[in-house]
Amino acid sequence: GYLGHTPTAIFYIIAIILISFHLKHGIQSSLKTLGLTENSKWKLLYKSSIVFWGAIPLAFIIIVISIQIGIIN
């Protein structure tokens, strides 16, 4: 597939990183709309959003790296 081609894989990883920042902004903005901020009593939920926006892109990046190093064919 296309992700076995190194320049395409690098572009894909950069795109995923940029999308992850957009995802982080969207999650935190929606929580702020609901009144859940770092200073509220629900700050744990706000902080867990950081894990959420980081875990999903990381999973996609791991797949691409696995294709590149030959774990996934």
Side-chain angles (χ1 to χ4, degrees):
Y2 294 111
L3 293 177
H5 187 244
T6 302
T8 305
I10 291 169
F11 176 78
Y12 184 85
I13 290 171
I14 291 169
I16 290 296
I17 291 169
L18 293 174
I19 290 171
S20 71
F21 285 112
H22 182 68
L23 183 62
K24 174 188 175 193
H25 172 72
I27 292 169
Q28 289 184 341
S29 292
S30 63
L31 290 174
K32 284 181 184 178
T33 299
L34 297 172
L36 307 174
T37 64
E38 289 180 289
N39 300 326
S40 72
K41 65 180 182 178
W42 294 96
K43 65 183 170 185
L44 180 62
L45 182 62
Y46 188 82
K47 297 279 186 192
S48 68
S49 70
I50 294 171
V51 173
F52 180 72
W53 73 259
I56 292 173
L58 182 62
F60 281 104
I61 290 171
I62 288 172
I63 291 169
V64 174
I65 291 172
S66 297
I67 292 170
Q68 283 291 305
I69 62 176
I71 294 174
I72 299 174
N73 292 326

